[in-house]
Amino acid sequence: MNDKVFGMEDYDFGQNVDVEEIEVEDPTLFSLTIDSSYSMADYVGEVPTCINTLKDSIIESKSEDEFVVSVNYFDDTVRLGGYQKIHDVSNAYTLGGCTALYSAIVEAQEALKNENGTGYYDQLRKNGITPKGIFVVLSDGYNNVGRYTANDAKKAVKYLNKNEIITAYIAFGSDAVGIGEDLGFANVINVKDANKQELRKIFRILSKSAISASKSANAVSAGNFFQV
């Protein structure tokens, strides 16, 4: 049950910006999926600040027109934020119960790009737009609830890798170390000692990495996404 909301803005989950509002021919679709289970309770005040850091970094880099961002959260359930222009991305953060990691990976993948051609990436392609894709997951633990399996999550990540979507996993804490590698993410950061300072550092790295990838003319090769 979700009972705490942090962040001043309302979050309109699942609403994608109209294709007609995309201002560039090759936008970067940035899917960021963040663990909001109760084990993240120490960071309820920090995550909204980190989201703002990400937004500010993109805006200050003069790249705001290049990015369409979906911030998703998961605990017992998965809440997809929808793809939004960077100024419209919410920093709201809701704490829940357990960790539906595999469900979050599969559902976020489906929302970005899927074999049925109904993902936001697919919709843009059908409209003559050639997007890039970045798919990032941050979690402090292992899957312990949900209807999807580890194999389902691996298939989702493999599908994205095959389609030249940048996949990146941030293991935030000792319980999460090694999960990104096991699931086949092409880029992994393992943070064994989780604390607020490390979380802020991660988001600074993530911001720099996403901006660099967006400006790159070529797909980022495996292992080269994170700009440390």
Side-chain angles (χ1 to χ4, degrees), residues 157-168:
V157 176
K158 183 178 180 179
Y159 174 78
L160 293 172
N161 288 334
K162 181 180 178 181
N163 284 277
E164 297 187 335
I165 304 294
I166 297 168
T167 60

Side-chain angles (χ1 to χ4, degrees), residues 98-111:
C98 298
T99 308
L101 174 62
Y102 301 153
S103 295
I105 292 171
V106 172
E107 292 184 32
Q109 171 255 306
E110 289 282 336

Side-chain angles (χ1 to χ4, degrees), residues 29-132:
L29 303 188
F30 185 9
S31 173
L32 174 58
T33 302
I34 301 173
D35 191 334
S36 62
S37 61
Y38 277 129
S39 59
M40 291 286 289
D42 288 343
Y43 310 102
V44 292
E46 203 66 37
V47 171
T49 300
C50 288
I51 295 295
N52 287 340
T53 295
L54 176 67
K55 292 175 62 175
D56 291 343
S57 296
I58 291 173
I59 293 168
E60 290 170 5
S61 73
K62 308 299 183 183
S63 300
E64 61 262 43
D65 292 340
E66 307 292 330
F67 277 87
V68 186
V69 181
S70 177
V71 180
N72 315 304
Y73 298 109
F74 66 96
D75 41 65
D76 290 350
T77 59
V78 181
R79 302 183 301 285
L80 300 176
Y83 285 90
Q84 299 289 326
K85 293 184 177 182
I86 191 64
H87 289 278
D88 298 327
V89 171
S90 173
N91 66 351
Y93 188 55
T94 304
L95 283 184
C98 298
T99 308
L101 174 62
Y102 301 153
S103 295
I105 292 171
V106 172
E107 292 184 32
Q109 171 255 306
E110 289 282 336
L112 174 57
K113 180 171 178 55
N114 61 64
E115 293 180 346
N116 295 325
T118 58
Y120 194 62
Y121 181 102
D122 307 305
Q123 294 175 37
L124 296 189
R125 294 280 298 186
K126 291 174 183 176
N127 282 271
I129 299 171
T130 54
K132 300 175 183 177

Side-chain angles (χ1 to χ4, degrees), residues 102 106 143 148-156 182-183:
Y102 301 153
V106 172
N143 185 89
Y148 289 100
T149 66
N151 282 336
D152 293 327
K154 289 178 182 179
K155 288 178 182 178
D182 290 343
L183 294 178

Side-chain angles (χ1 to χ4, degrees), residues 202-218:
I202 284 170
F203 271 82
R204 289 194 296 270
I205 293 171
L206 181 58
S207 301
K208 181 179 178 181
S209 302
I211 292 167
S212 177
S214 178
K215 293 181 180 297
S216 175
N218 302 311

Side-chain angles (χ1 to χ4, degrees), residues 39 139-143 169 171-179 191-192 194:
S39 59
S139 179
D140 71 338
Y142 48 84
N143 185 89
Y169 194 90
F172 187 59
S174 57
D175 287 345
V177 170
I179 292 176
V191 180
K192 188 172 183 180

